[in-house]
Amino acid sequence: MRILVLVKQVPDITSDRGLGAEGTLVRESSQAVLNELDEGAIESALRAADALGAAGTPAEVTALTMGPAGAVAAVKKALQVGAGAAVHVSDDSLAGSDAVVTARVLAAAARHLEEANGEPFALVVAGMSALDGLGSVVPALLAAELGRPIISCATSLEVTPETVTATRETPTGSERLRAPLPAVVSVSDTIAALRVPNFTTMMAARKAGVTTLTAADVGLAAHEVGAAGSPTRITAHAPRPPRPPAQVLDGAGALVDALAERGLLEVGA
Amino acid sequence: MSAQRVVVISVGPYTPDDALAGLETMAAGIGAVHTVRVPAGSSAQKAAAMVAAVRKVGADTLILASTLIAKEVAALAAHALGAGLLIDVHTLHAEGESLVAEKRELGGTWDATCAVTGPAVVLGKPLTTPGAQPLSEPTLLELGEGDGVEVLEVTAHDGAAAGPALGEAAVVVAGGRGLEGDLTPVRDLADALGGAVGATRDIVEEGWIGHETMVGQTGTMIEPRLYIGAGLSGAPHHRLGMQAAEVIVAINTDPEAPIMEIADLAVVGDAADVLTEAARLVRERRGTAG
Ligand SMILES: Cc1cc2nc3c(=O)[nH]c(=O)nc-3n(C[C@H](O)[C@H](O)[C@H](O)COP(=O)(O)OP(=O)(O)OC[C@H]3O[C@@H](n4cnc5c(N)ncnc54)[C@H](O)[C@@H]3O)c2cc1C
């Protein structure tokens, strides 16, 4: 069996982040890091492969990313901890892709790899959001694109050769859900910490190499991707004015006075 | 001059009235509004029900209240409708053929305007006015076809959190490790102000309070009028979820805590003491003492 894990390079959330001329994120590679939530995705994919192997169905993990040249670091990280293959979709025409197009490209790449391997990915695993746009919709869009079931925001996963069962938190409680394979899941950051690379996986990573694909390679024309293919566009953007230093108040009384002056005592229900 | 859009607003079984009123306000001015309610079910079943409703009334816009689970539903519906997705927006208007949304980006540090031409699915984050009543009585839909996902079990958190829902509340009082395990003072001030209770991931993991109160990247992203963070440091993952608040108040024993850097108002002191005293004074002022 094969498992696909989606990973993304994003600007470090503690760095000074900004939007560029086109309203898209400035991707300074010096500050770029693996999206923290994808660490849990990689670990979950590897654990799913381990569980399937133990159940007598050996499984291999492939890591897939889309992004500019530097984004390749994200899939390399997955190789270093035990993924068997890595794929990077990189093409100038992809710049400015919104969530709908990003999912379209990732799904096309998954289908391309499935055709090459002669079998569908039993499971596609992603982080529940990327810490740049925080949209959290790509995994479900990708599942719809592939025509497979989706379980997002999983805080635990159990994978058998036939099904995936997950728990997740909702605004009012928690849910336990089950989907038949092949399926798509996205995982929460609390699901698992990423394992440490060992000598064997590091050596294997060096040999594995990364396959690079263009939009055309996965069967997409230029007008279907990037800003051109995206239904949404950013038309204006500006940094919010910096907040002035905090006004330090002496105790609860001064605080309640300040809230009252600003009319904030009455805004609650 | 603007093309009239037809809008379907869809809400879940437990959406409070003021949240629905907020979405209706958001849709006002865009076009004719139909409000529907979906029963409990899997996300794909809910999405299919909404898509059927959108097609039935010939709408080009679907609006849902933004939560992590609603994002799953919205993505499935957007795909079926061939629609663009506007995510976490707080205002909406029509401009010619386009639907235009205002939102905050990068953890609330940037403002952005996004536009979509053609069909749109919108995840709205309107600020709700307490006690606001919806304009319409939603039509109850029947669940649509699913994608094979079975809901095996639903567990409701006990003591169904009193007060407004965290995601839409105009006031949020959040606590952290500095509360040392007892969240009573946080609940007390939230209650006095008519706000919701928030928390950091650390205290959720300690089991001091339920996950539904977590503010941040994998919890709830909030944009209240007033946010009060007490006994919490303001770590980057937490800031990501609350920095879009209009007014930020920090209560901390450490004047150097990172939350102080983004606060408008600050009190250096013990979180429990300040919260408890503030709750008493607020009740006095609001005339709700005793
Ligand atoms: C992958 C990942 C994701 C995360 N996601 C989130 C998230 O979504 N949301 C989130 O909140 N966190 C998240 N975190 C955790 C985050 O990094 C911080 O660890 C957490 O927010 C800190 O919680 P805290 O402020 O309660 O505790 P601390 O950082 O320990 O801060 C406690 C504060 O309380 C103050 N204090 C102590 N005693 C008192 C007192 N008596 N009165 C007043 N003040 C006092 C201290 O001065 C200190 O500033 C995440 C972490 C990781 C690694």
Side-chain angles (χ1 to χ4, degrees):
Chain A
M1 273 185 162
R2 285 174 183 273
I3 295 169
L4 185 68
V5 61
L6 306 180
V7 290
K8 186 179 185 186
Q9 194 79 351
V10 297
D12 187 339
I13 58 166
T14 59
S15 70
D16 206 5
R17 301 179 301 164
L19 299 176
E22 301 297 315
T24 52
L25 203 62
V26 177
R27 294 175 195 277
E28 279 279 318
S29 58
S30 57
Q31 301 166 330
V33 292
L34 173 65
N35 176 40
E36 222 172 338
L37 283 106
D38 297 346
E39 294 188 12
I42 298 172
E43 182 62 28
S44 301
L46 294 169
R47 287 189 189 178
D50 293 345
L52 288 168
T57 317
E60 192 189 72
V61 175
T62 299
L64 170 64
T65 195
M66 160 181 159
V72 73
V75 283
K76 284 194 174 154
K77 178 97 180 193
L79 286 177
Q80 285 161 7
V81 288
V87 182
H88 177 200
V89 187
S90 190
D91 197 317
D92 289 346
S93 70
L94 298 176
S97 295
D98 69 2
V100 165
V101 168
T102 302
R104 181 183 296 156
V105 174
L106 292 170
R111 256 188 256 111
H112 171 84
L113 297 170
E114 291 178 341
E115 276 161 27
N117 292 322
E119 58 169 335
F121 288 105
L123 195 64
V124 180
V125 187
M128 65 184 260
S129 48
L131 297 181
D132 44 8
L134 283 165
S136 301
V137 293
V138 167
L141 284 167
L142 171 98
E145 207 45 52
L146 293 173
R148 295 180 197 165
I150 171 75
I151 300 178
S152 50
C153 309
T155 52
S156 77
L157 286 182
E158 285 158 52
V159 184
T160 72
E162 288 82 35
T163 62
V164 54
T165 308
T167 356
R168 69 175 176 192
E169 300 287 338
T170 69
T172 52
S174 63
E175 292 178 339
R176 217 171 141 66
L177 305 164
R178 183 170 60 208
L181 299 185
V184 180
V185 295
S186 78
V187 299
S188 157
D189 57 7
T190 56
I191 195 160
L194 185 57
R195 64 190 63 182
V196 178
N198 61 42
F199 182 73
T200 323
T201 55
M202 287 295 276
M203 289 310 284
R206 271 199 206 158
K207 283 206 211 108
V210 177
T211 306
T212 308
L213 299 172
T214 63
D217 289 337
V218 301
L220 293 170
H223 71 269
E224 293 175 287
V225 299
S230 296
T232 56
R233 59 193 185 281
I234 297 184
T235 56
H237 58 284
R240 306 205 75 213
R243 290 177 193 265
Q247 185 185 343
V248 181
L249 303 163
D250 189 19
L255 173 60
V256 173
D257 288 344
L259 295 179
E261 265 166 44
R262 291 169 185 237
L264 289 167
L265 293 187
E266 315 300 329
V267 297
Chain B
M1 58 166 235
S2 69
Q4 277 281 300
R5 297 180 73 103
V6 180
V7 186
V8 170
I9 296 176
S10 182
V11 291
Y14 313 113
T15 309
D17 279 356
D18 45 10
L20 173 52
L23 293 176
E24 286 181 334
T25 309
M26 177 177 249
I30 295 170
V33 175
H34 303 261
T35 309
V36 297
R37 195 179 284 283
V38 284
S42 78
S43 289
Q45 288 175 313
K46 289 183 200 163
M50 292 177 197
V51 168
V54 165
R55 293 206 170 117
K56 189 171 168 200
V57 301
D60 52 12
T61 307
L62 170 65
I63 303 182
L64 282 72
S66 184
T67 64
L68 284 165
I69 306 298
K71 285 179 171 184
E72 184 179 90
V73 181
L76 298 177
H79 188 267
L81 295 166
L85 264 163
L86 295 170
I87 306 168
D88 292 340
V89 307
H90 48 82
T91 68
L92 213 52
H93 66 274
E95 226 175 78
E97 294 292 302
S98 299
L99 188 61
V100 179
E102 304 292 336
K103 62 181 293 194
R104 300 262 160 90
E105 290 283 353
L106 302 177
T109 54
W110 282 65
D111 286 318
T113 309
C114 303
V116 59
T117 309
V121 174
V122 180
L123 283 149
K125 262 187 176 322
L127 262 193
T128 58
T129 317
Q133 286 304 309
L135 304 169
S136 58
E137 180 59 37
T139 316
L140 186 65
L141 301 179
E142 263 179 48
L143 285 177
E145 203 171 311
D147 59 358
V149 174
E150 275 176 89
V151 182
L152 301 178
E153 197 183 326
V154 177
T155 315
H157 290 307
D158 46 30
L166 181 58
E168 289 112 26
V171 177
V172 172
V173 184
R177 278 197 179 280
L179 271 305
E180 292 164 8
D182 181 7
L183 274 295
T184 313
V186 175
R187 292 200 180 90
D188 193 19
L189 182 58
D191 177 61
L193 287 168
V197 171
T200 63
R201 179 166 116 169
D202 286 24
I203 71 166
V204 168
E205 291 196 340
E206 291 284 354
W208 296 354
I209 193 163
H211 179 279
E212 70 284 1
T213 60
M214 188 170 102
V215 171
Q217 56 173 24
T218 51
T220 304
M221 308 272 292
I222 57 170
E223 295 185 15
R225 294 276 307 276
L226 171 63
Y227 164 94
I228 300 177
L232 54 79
S233 58
H237 298 102
H238 186 77
R239 281 166 70 152
L240 211 58
M242 48 59 69
Q243 208 165 345
E246 209 169 287
V247 176
I248 297 173
V249 177
I251 304 171
N252 202 302
T253 43
D254 176 7
E256 306 283 313
I259 186 81
M260 295 292 188
E261 291 165 22
I262 55 164
D264 299 285
L265 302 171
V267 178
V268 179
D270 177 70
D273 291 351
V274 177
L275 290 169
T276 307
E277 176 65 3
R280 189 183 67 78
L281 295 169
V282 169
R283 286 203 176 91
E284 226 172 69
R285 292 219 181 207
R286 285 181 48 146
T288 47

